């Protein structure tokens, strides 16, 4: 069943990670029957120390993923899980599982930071019927804007030299998004948030 949800091994899929007190997008991969993700310090990182219960949801609406990454207010209909004491977003397929995590140190262009590297053993897979959203290049740009925007904000707040280069990327992604018909306020907010730190 898990192979149906994540058909290609080792490909990174952008999904929603739900822990005891937080929801945030993460990139996951599937290898065999297990799912893998890496989460940097924050609320989900802290949650996973106390409780290894996780829900992974396939959400094909980038606005939901990106809004949750930036903690922008968004109203979501929640429902109870089948096996875990966690809520999930109604209407989207989900995987309930236990995450086995270890703390690692990650070195990248933003410096050195701690992360939890987690392997999820699924205990329940829930399938929903939903009309698929058509593919939109604007949506792809919004996802990229979310990813690069969160890196740019981090760098700009810490005054790292890479901050200005990341902002230029944010600017390009934002205008491409608009050019392709994207109208979400979320995109504008990310762009303005970054701009305010310049
Ligand atoms: C599409 C998308 C994918 C993301 N993937 C990850 C990820 O795999 N790991 C991670 O630590 N942060 C990822 N982020 C950034 C987190 O959402 C962001 O750092 C968030 O603030 C996590 O902090 P929190 O746990 O306190 O909510 C992603 C953001 C977006 C928009």
């Amino acid at each position: 069943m898990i192979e149906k949800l994540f058909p290609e091994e080792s490909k990174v899929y952008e999904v929603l990670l739900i822990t005891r007190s937080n929801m945030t997008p993460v990139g996951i991969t599937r290898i065999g029957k297990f799912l893998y993700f890496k989460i940097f310090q924050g609320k989900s990182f802290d949650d996973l120390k106390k409780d290894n219960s996780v829900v992974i949801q396939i959400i094909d609406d980038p606005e939901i993923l990106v809004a949750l990454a930036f903690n922008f207010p968004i109203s979501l209909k929640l429902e109870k899980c089948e096996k875990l004491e966690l809520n999930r977003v109604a209407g989207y397929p989900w995987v309930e599982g236990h995450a086995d995590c270890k703390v690692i140190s990650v070195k990248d262009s933003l410096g050195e930071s701690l992360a939890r590297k987690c392997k999820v053993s699924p205990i329940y897979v829930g399938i929903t019927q939903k009309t698929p959203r058509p593919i939109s290049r604007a949506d792809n740009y919004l996802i990229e804007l979310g990813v690069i925007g969160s890196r740019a904000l981090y760098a700009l707040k810490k005054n790292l030299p890479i901050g200005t280069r990341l902002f230029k990327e944010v600017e390009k992604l934002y205008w491409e998004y608009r050019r392709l018909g994207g109208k979400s306020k979320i995109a504008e907010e990310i762009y303005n948030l970054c701009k305010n730190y310049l």
Side-chain angles (χ1 to χ4, degrees), residues 118-175:
C118 304
K119 172 185 180 178
V120 179
S121 307
I123 55 168
Y124 185 87
V125 176
I127 303 291
T128 53
Q129 293 292 328
K130 199 177 163 295
T131 309
R133 282 166 67 99
I135 287 171
S136 157
R137 285 184 62 209
D139 284 347
N140 294 347
Y141 275 101
L142 185 57
I143 290 284
E144 279 311 295
L145 184 60
V147 173
I148 306 299
S150 52
R151 291 174 67 78
L153 258 186
Y154 177 89
L156 290 166
K157 279 182 189 169
K158 291 204 154 188
N159 237 329
L160 301 178
I162 199 173
T164 36
R165 207 182 77 207
L166 288 169
F167 176 72
K168 278 195 188 128
E169 242 183 279
V170 163
E171 197 164 36
K172 181 172 182 287
L173 292 167
Y174 174 61
W175 289 111

Side-chain angles (χ1 to χ4, degrees), residues 35-59:
L35 300 174
Y36 296 82
F37 67 86
K38 198 166 68 190
I39 186 86
F40 287 94
Q41 280 172 296
K43 276 189 258 162
S44 313
F45 178 98
D46 293 342
D47 275 356
L48 286 163
K49 187 176 183 186
K50 300 172 204 136
D51 184 348
N52 74 349
S53 303
V54 295
V55 180
I56 283 165
Q57 284 206 266
I58 298 179
I59 307 272

Side-chain angles (χ1 to χ4, degrees), residues 43-98:
K43 276 189 258 162
S44 313
F45 178 98
D46 293 342
D47 275 356
L48 286 163
K49 187 176 183 186
K50 300 172 204 136
D51 184 348
N52 74 349
S53 303
V54 295
V55 180
I56 283 165
Q57 284 206 266
I58 298 179
I59 307 272
D60 61 0
D61 182 344
E63 282 206 40
I64 297 179
L65 293 180
V66 174
L68 290 170
F70 285 84
N71 297 315
F72 293 154
I74 183 164
S75 90
L76 294 171
K77 187 172 175 249
L78 301 180
E79 280 175 357
K80 288 199 178 314
C81 281
E82 289 294 323
K83 305 270 183 201
L84 299 174
E85 297 285 309
L86 288 177
N87 286 326
R88 62 183 169 86
V89 183
Y92 296 94
W94 77 102
V95 178
E96 298 175 29
H98 294 295

